[in-house]
Amino acid sequence: MTSPAPPEDAHPYLRAASAGVRHHTRALRPPDALPPRPADRQHLDALHGHLTTLLHLLDRLAENTRPPHPAAGRHLATAHTHLWQATSNVHNAFHLLPTGTAADAEQSTCSPDRLPEGPPVLTICQRHLAAGHVVRRKTTPSDLRAHTTACVR
């Protein structure tokens, strides 16, 4: 079992993650001859995973910054709320993309009373519901406006 990296060692990992996102963004720009490819469900699942990880980071930063620097902590908390809204929209877009078959479409519906079966739907919905619980504990409904953790479908 490895121990967590000391905080001073975390910055290179964050820079590497940002470089990976930049590389992926450049890779989505095809040469002039090829039409751009739309997002697929696996792509949005990976992006949602990245966004929820950033949510946890912003949450921790806001908690640690708020006592010594309240104004900066409030700004980080606001950034956390806006990132949650983006994460929620990516989750909704995931469910609006077409699936392979009619059976897959039935399986991919996200219902609040039950979780869908199988990846990637199970993964993204579980991740989204877990992140939503944290957000709701720390954010007022008026802060979230019309955004919810419910699925679109």
Side-chain angles (χ1 to χ4, degrees):
M1 183 171 156
T2 61
S3 62
E8 62 272 4
D9 290 338
H11 293 84
Y13 292 108
L14 189 56
R15 284 191 289 276
S18 296
V21 170
R22 281 191 305 274
H23 173 75
H24 185 72
T25 302
R26 283 191 301 270
L28 288 174
R29 262 189 230 134
D32 294 333
L34 299 174
R37 286 188 353 209
D40 59 17
R41 294 180 127 219
Q42 291 77 16
H43 187 174
L44 291 185
D45 181 42
L47 179 60
H48 188 271
H50 187 74
L51 291 172
T52 54
T53 301
L54 286 173
L55 273 171
H56 295 297
L57 175 61
L58 264 176
D59 185 40
R60 180 79 44 94
L61 286 171
E63 282 180 11
N64 294 349
T65 304
R66 188 170 280 151
H69 309 287
R74 281 192 302 275
H75 280 287
L76 290 172
T78 300
H80 180 266
T81 300
H82 290 300
L83 184 59
W84 167 250
Q85 293 166 342
T87 304
S88 189
N89 284 321
V90 168
H91 176 254
N92 293 342
F94 173 90
H95 284 291
L96 293 174
L97 287 176
T99 58
T101 65
D104 288 343
E106 177 62 33
Q107 175 185 352
S108 74
T109 48
C110 184
S111 305
D113 57 333
R114 69 167 179 80
L115 286 174
E117 295 79 24
V121 179
L122 177 65
T123 308
I124 192 171
C125 292
Q126 279 185 327
R127 186 185 320 117
H128 195 70
L129 290 171
H133 289 296
V134 172
V135 169
R136 281 194 307 272
R137 274 188 267 134
K138 297 182 177 203
T139 311
T140 66
S142 63
D143 289 337
L144 294 176
R145 290 179 221 125
H147 295 276
T148 65
T149 58
C151 294
V152 195
R153 269 188 156 170

